[in-house]
Amino acid sequence: MGQAKGRKSIFITGAASGMGRETARLFSEKGWFVGGYDVNAEGLKALEAELGPDNCVVRTLDVTDRADFQAAFAEFGAATGGKLDLLYNNAGIGRGGPFADQPFEDVLAVVQVNFVGVLIGIHEGIGLLKATPNSLCFTTSSSSATFGMAGIAVYSATKHAVKGLSEALSVEFKAYGVRVADVLPGLIDTPILPPGAAANAPKEGLFRAIPPLDVAQVVWEAYHSDKLHWYVPPELVELDKAATMAPEATRDQMAAGSMFSMQPKAD
């Protein structure tokens, strides 16, 4: 059975902080065995100390490096007896600014981490997922995958790609008995945000600041569901609907800055 001793298991990228760390904590509390992966070695050490070395395996991982991913999955599979109940592709970086002024090195870095890293993770992890009944491949997309957002155009593009990939694979992976879903978070109070962004966010509306634990709880709910897209907060689905049904009006509201003060619709 390996180190996991038959427990359900979750493999989390970007586990050293924010949504990934809160997800690791929550699943550990639920009795799962946790694989935590990140480029932040100190954050991983702290996570291991918190969860206990018998309850997790942690390892530095560059998600843009296929060989590194292969080694991480091999070590994880050895610990879990070749099983993986939930793959959470969460690692991401945020580098923004006007596209015309953005260094092209930043453009490529965002694409490599936020999309290519997801492609590698799923491609290398599918074997373990296929070997595990009722497994789930889950990925962090973004509210910026509802309508492309100025100032973070490349980040937004990668999250649109993640969303589309999740939809396509949710069909393909049915043949393996593997479920696929994603989460589209709004403004989550994590280190990826610029300094002061959470404190200066609206107190209400679609883009209020939300604690990362809310996303971790959605990951837990997603494992016990067949739902494809998860919105945090849930009313962000209204932005997705608006972007689909009236893209020009959504564009104009974005340009005017009024979209970000939208209030949730009453039930």
Side-chain angles (χ1 to χ4, degrees), residues 109-123:
V110 171
V111 172
Q112 287 292 319
V113 174
N114 293 4
F115 187 52
V116 175
V118 171
L119 292 175
I120 296 172
I122 297 175
H123 203 267

Side-chain angles (χ1 to χ4, degrees), residues 99-228:
F99 179 76
D101 300 331
Q102 193 172 12
F104 198 67
E105 293 78 7
D106 283 359
V107 169
L108 290 181
V110 171
V111 172
Q112 287 292 319
V113 174
N114 293 4
F115 187 52
V116 175
V118 171
L119 292 175
I120 296 172
I122 297 175
H123 203 267
E124 298 305 322
I126 187 58
L128 292 175
L129 291 168
K130 287 166 66 175
T132 312
N134 198 40
S135 60
L136 172 64
C137 176
F138 195 75
T139 305
T140 297
S141 181
S142 167
S143 58
S144 68
T146 58
F147 190 90
M149 293 188 181
I152 53 169
V154 179
Y155 177 89
S156 180
T158 64
K159 297 304 185 176
H160 274 79
V162 163
K163 185 183 180 193
L165 179 70
S166 297
E167 290 169 350
L169 296 184
S170 72
V171 177
E172 289 190 21
F173 286 5
K174 276 186 174 292
Y176 310 134
V178 176
R179 294 171 294 131
V180 180
D182 61 18
V183 60
L184 290 81
L187 192 68
I188 310 299
D189 190 2
T190 71
I192 200 172
L193 293 181
N200 295 324
K203 301 304 179 186
E204 298 179 302
L206 300 182
F207 291 95
R208 62 190 184 274
I210 293 174
L213 179 58
D214 286 18
V215 176
Q217 291 169 336
V218 159
V219 182
W220 177 255
E221 291 177 30
Y223 178 74
H224 299 89
S225 170
D226 196 38
K227 185 175 176 180
L228 177 55

